[in-house]
Amino acid sequence: MAKIGINIATGSLQKNEMIVGIDLGTTNSLVAIIHPESKGPIVLKEHDGAALVPSIVHFGANNLVSVGDKAKEFLIEDPHNTIFSVKRLMGKSYKDLKDHSSYFTYKVIDDNTESLVKVQVGEKFYSPMELSSFILKELKERAEHILKTPVTRAVITVPAYFNDSQRQATRDAGKLAGLDVLRIINEPTAASLAYGLGLNKEEVKTVAIYDFGGGTFDISILRITGGIFEVLSTNGDTYLGGDDFDREIAKYCIKQWGLTETELTVNKSLVQELRLTAEEAKKTLSGAENYSGIVAESEVALSKAQFEALIRHLVNKTIHCCKLALSDAGLTTEDIDEVIMVGGSTRVPIVKESVGNFFRKKIFDSLNPDEVVALGAAVQADILAGNNKDLLLLDITPLSLGIETMGGLMDVLIPRNSKIPAKTGRQYTTQKDGQSSMRISVYQGERDLVKNNRKLAEFNLTGIPGMPAGLPKVEVSFLVNADGILVVTAKELRSGVMQSIEVKPQYGLTDVEVEKMLLDSISQAKEDMQMRALVEAQTEAYQLIQTTQNFISKNDNFLTKEELTKTFQAIDVLNVIVLYGSKDEIQKAIENLNEISRPYAERLMDDAVRVALKNRTI
Ligand code: AMP
């Protein structure tokens, strides 16, 4: 069992090296630290006072990548190569996004599978994780520039509703950017920490965190007991934010000026200018009673009362989400002790008023709402650095624990720095028809290939009844108990066969060895990621070859001769490329085979539907 204090104090952390807190936002990102003298959290600012880095990546000619304000300049002029809102893509499949496809001006790839989306820029494909790593790298470099010291360790925040794979993708993005991500924490937890909530061990509180940003709205209800933050419920709208306020103002002006759809479609720069003016009007009206401005020789005049009437329905929507969150948590407004305001849109007075009236509580809004999450991440970083003695002795897993999956990849079940006791489970299946046993190999470490990690144990789950590949459901669960003992259990859910094993992950491992494993994982991050991507593409290729061959052997009389020849050729090509090709080449060959088989697979499906309908009696 490891204590955070011991872990950090193994000698590897130089006294003056900061652990930074990073708010990796949908629209903007920022970095905060604990000020060495004042001991309070502060955000890092450039000389010009800028703290926010727009979460935007632009790919220019000659592989020139720019991030932040520089990338933002390309939003209008080069929309296909300017990637914004990457956070919305994290851990998502195309299916998850298709209702909002018009939102993205760049190419989000649909490969007709359940797998995760990629962004296509020219000939290249980027995963959301890779794109986020560009932003994190920029933040790291900025922090190093401002602090004049290397920055290699960070705490990164994510929304409370992020699932395991979205958290893992964020962690991997940090790793690829050269950061050792000490912990991923929830944004509402960070906001609470920024206000000092949860720092007192005796404290028991229920807190509502109302987070209204540029493009998203989240409400989270947390219970804080003795320094532990438990998410009771979350709700929100991932496509509702301050940008919608701007749109309402713009719509109002367009109506006033009597402009038509066609006039707007041809005059893109007018629309853009109007959008910026609308935002300016909104911000002005957060402090003044009236706004007046000019766009293309037309006047924009708006009073605060008019603005409030325009956006009231949107604010009401957020209050409705608050009601749902409370009811999901089984609570009423009476049960909420504090309300914390996060996000730039909470500066709008009617927003604050509505939230205050709804909860009938004092509202925490003294900190800058754009900065509060990053500030809290810095507080958490400070706790991990061992500077807050009260919270020093949280038990955590010092290295990730996982099992080997196809192609020798490490599948992490309990990420490093998880608080223990910890429990988690994931379902796996068989690769071959009639497979009756499954080998479970347990590993510890941060590298993507298990061969670079430390093997802890291995056992065979036997007695799986004969079933076609992919049908058995084997649930592997990891439990690290309070003594740091790991119990791994594998159970085939259809038949109930079960096997388990106990291991001591820390046994025989010194702090120096733990440290070395962590450092290796950072220095090898890029190679590891590339290797993982290659192995995943290879695995996908082998599976596709197998399913296509199975399909053809069952339905060959249904295919034309030409289709058969073309398919066999494509399989032959893929069989060779999978051995010698790069990730991109393999993906291209996969796509090629898919293209060939899609028409007849669809035809067969249509036929099956027709037959089914024909036999139906009404
Ligand atoms: P965030 O995503 O938290 O950075 O919030 C950004 C949103 O806050 C954008 O829609 C901004 O227009 C909005 N915002 C920033 N400052 C103000 C302000 N003073 N009044 C109203 N909205 C603001």
Side-chain angles (χ1 to χ4, degrees):
M1 182 164 36
K3 307 281 186 195
I4 291 173
I6 299 169
N7 232 343
I8 298 296
T10 46
S12 64
L13 184 71
Q14 292 113 34
K15 273 220 166 71
N16 53 2
E17 188 184 335
M18 299 279 177
I19 303 179
V20 298
I22 297 180
D23 173 3
L24 182 60
T26 309
T27 325
N28 294 305
S29 297
L30 64 166
V31 185
I33 58 158
I34 296 295
H35 193 280
E37 276 138 39
S38 76
K39 305 286 178 220
I42 52 156
V43 304
L44 294 181
K45 292 186 177 159
E46 293 284 6
H47 288 309
D48 60 3
L52 303 182
V53 176
S55 307
I56 303 174
V57 184
H58 174 254
F59 295 90
N62 305 323
N63 290 333
L64 190 71
V65 180
S66 53
V67 176
D69 286 315
K70 278 175 269 147
K72 196 173 180 177
E73 290 167 16
F74 292 98
L75 270 181
I76 306 294
E77 112 197 24
D78 191 15
H80 303 305
N81 299 317
T82 312
I83 320 300
F84 60 91
S85 283
V86 170
K87 195 170 169 182
R88 293 183 191 278
L89 306 177
M90 282 293 224
K92 293 286 168 83
S93 70
Y94 189 80
K95 225 168 91 192
D96 297 329
L97 299 168
K98 74 173 185 307
D99 290 346
H100 297 282
S101 55
S102 61
Y103 174 89
F104 302 98
T105 52
Y106 45 88
K107 198 159 177 194
V108 182
I109 293 299
D110 171 17
D111 59 0
N112 253 342
T113 68
E114 291 294 306
S115 64
L116 303 177
V117 292
K118 291 245 167 65
V119 171
Q120 184 174 5
V121 182
E123 293 287 286
K124 290 202 171 145
F125 300 91
Y126 294 96
S127 68
M129 182 274 291
E130 285 170 302
L131 294 166
S132 299
S133 83
F134 285 114
I135 299 168
L136 287 169
K137 195 148 180 271
E138 169 78 17
L139 295 173
K140 171 177 148 67
E141 282 165 8
R142 265 175 65 122
E144 288 174 336
H145 179 241
I146 296 170
L147 293 169
K148 311 256 177 305
T149 163
V151 170
T152 58
R153 296 166 189 236
V155 168
I156 304 180
T157 59
V158 295
Y161 58 77
F162 257 29
N163 62 24
D164 270 0
S165 69
Q166 291 170 309
R167 284 164 200 265
Q168 189 58 39
T170 307
R171 196 177 272 279
D172 285 346
K175 197 161 136 186
L176 194 56
L179 289 167
D180 180 8
V181 182
L182 296 185
R183 181 125 356 142
I184 296 283
I185 65 165
N186 288 329
E187 287 159 9
T189 300
S192 309
L193 283 170
Y195 279 104
L197 299 174
L199 292 177
N200 173 353
K201 270 197 151 173
E202 267 72 63
E203 190 174 67
V204 178
K205 273 200 167 133
T206 309
V207 186
I209 296 91
Y210 180 98
D211 182 348
F212 203 5
T216 58
F217 168 68
D218 294 310
I219 172 79
S220 313
I221 313 287
L222 297 190
R223 175 157 299 142
I224 308 174
T225 353
I228 293 175
F229 294 78
E230 187 190 354
V231 181
L232 298 183
S233 66
T234 64
N235 205 293
D237 186 334
T238 41
Y239 290 86
L240 175 63
D243 301 347
D244 295 291
F245 293 178
D246 307 345
R247 257 189 293 274
E248 288 297 331
I249 298 179
K251 267 184 354 205
Y252 170 81
C253 296
I254 289 167
K255 207 167 149 201
Q256 292 269 309
W257 302 335
L259 292 178
T260 63
E261 276 292 319
T262 350
E263 281 166 307
L264 292 172
T265 331
V266 292
N267 200 343
K268 284 262 175 330
S269 67
L270 170 73
V271 175
Q272 175 62 5
E273 203 186 327
L274 179 57
R275 209 185 60 77
L276 293 175
T277 307
E279 184 177 11
E280 185 188 292
K282 170 184 76 176
K283 288 184 178 172
T284 307
L285 292 172
S286 288
E289 289 301 317
N290 288 293
Y291 172 83
S292 90
I294 300 282
V295 173
E297 290 164 14
S298 301
E299 198 192 6
V300 177
L302 201 68
S303 72
K304 191 170 155 195
Q306 281 170 316
F307 170 57
E308 290 180 349
L310 289 175
I311 64 163
R312 194 174 298 276
H313 68 288
L314 299 172
V315 181
N316 287 347
K317 253 189 180 174
T318 70
I319 299 296
H320 181 65
C321 293
C322 295
K323 285 185 191 153
L324 295 177
L326 278 177
S327 109
D328 281 352
L331 301 177
T332 69
T333 50
E334 302 273 288
D335 301 307
I336 302 296
D337 299 307
E338 324 279 2
V339 182
I340 296 177
M341 300 297 255
V342 181
S345 300
T346 61
R347 290 200 181 90
V348 175
I350 187 188
V351 170
K352 263 188 217 183
E353 266 161 47
S354 307
V355 177
N357 290 341
F358 174 71
F359 284 102
R360 276 173 281 127
K361 290 282 141 55
K362 175 178 158 303
I363 283 178
F364 281 99
D365 64 352
S366 59
L367 294 173
N368 180 332
D370 293 323
E371 297 179 352
V372 52
V373 168
L375 293 173
V379 173
Q380 175 72 56
D382 196 45
I383 294 169
L384 291 177
N387 296 335
N388 187 325
K389 296 286 178 276
D390 260 4
L391 294 165
L392 191 65
L393 296 179
L394 283 178
D395 293 326
I396 52 151
T397 55
L399 291 167
S400 301
L401 298 165
I403 66 167
E404 176 177 0
T405 54
M406 293 251 297
L409 290 178
M410 171 90 171
D411 195 21
V412 172
L413 276 100
I414 298 189
R416 86 185 211 81
N417 280 331
S418 297
K419 213 181 288 165
I420 59 175
K423 187 172 188 306
T424 178
R426 201 166 291 164
Q427 280 186 13
Y428 300 88
T429 188
T430 49
Q431 291 162 29
K432 295 200 184 104
D433 289 343
Q435 188 176 330
S436 66
S437 73
M438 196 180 214
R439 199 184 56 187
I440 312 287
S441 307
V442 185
Y443 284 84
Q444 174 180 46
E446 309 311 308
R447 302 285 299 275
D448 283 338
L449 292 180
V450 291
K451 67 170 196 221
N452 298 320
N453 288 332
R454 181 172 180 251
K455 191 181 213 167
L456 293 176
E458 186 169 273
F459 65 95
N460 270 319
L461 176 67
T462 52
I464 303 175
M467 281 183 254
L471 214 56
K473 283 188 181 167
V474 176
E475 169 136 323
V476 175
S477 59
F478 274 36
L479 168 74
V480 184
N481 67 20
D483 298 325
I485 309 284
L486 167 68
V487 182
V488 180
T489 309
K491 182 177 181 185
E492 202 287 304
L493 299 177
R494 294 179 193 273
S495 59
V497 288
M498 193 170 116
Q499 209 116 358
S500 80
I501 197 167
E502 251 187 35
V503 257
K504 275 189 181 165
Q506 279 310 92
Y507 189 74
L509 203 59
T510 65
D511 286 342
V512 178
E513 283 167 318
V514 170
E515 209 63 51
K516 180 170 179 325
M517 289 173 83
L518 291 178
L519 288 176
D520 283 352
S521 78
I522 293 177
S523 61
Q524 305 293 327
K526 189 142 195 210
E527 289 79 358
D528 271 14
M529 297 285 175
Q530 282 162 352
M531 184 55 88
R532 177 184 276 272
L534 178 65
V535 172
E536 280 172 354
Q538 287 168 337
T539 306
E540 192 184 338
Y542 285 126
Q543 281 169 340
L544 182 66
I545 293 173
Q546 180 93 44
T547 32
T548 314
Q549 278 170 341
N550 281 350
F551 183 88
I552 290 185
S553 66
K554 284 187 195 133
N555 304 295
D556 58 347
N557 54 356
F558 188 83
L559 271 62
T560 64
K561 208 162 161 203
E562 197 200 343
E563 281 172 336
L564 277 174
T565 320
K566 270 181 140 180
T567 308
F568 284 128
Q569 273 168 355
I571 290 181
D572 285 347
V573 170
L574 186 54
N575 258 324
V576 175
I577 287 187
V578 76
L579 292 176
Y580 306 108
S582 68
K583 177 197 91 176
D584 289 343
E585 286 163 346
I586 298 174
Q587 268 163 350
K588 232 171 153 177
I590 288 178
E591 192 42 43
N592 181 39
L593 178 53
N594 270 328
E595 291 275 305
I596 293 170
S597 60
R598 199 170 292 134
Y600 56 76
E602 279 171 6
R603 214 166 62 220
L604 196 75
M605 204 123 85
D606 288 349
D607 265 23
V609 172
R610 218 170 320 171
V611 170
L613 287 178
K614 207 168 132 197
N615 293 339
R616 228 167 75 185
T617 47
I618 300 173

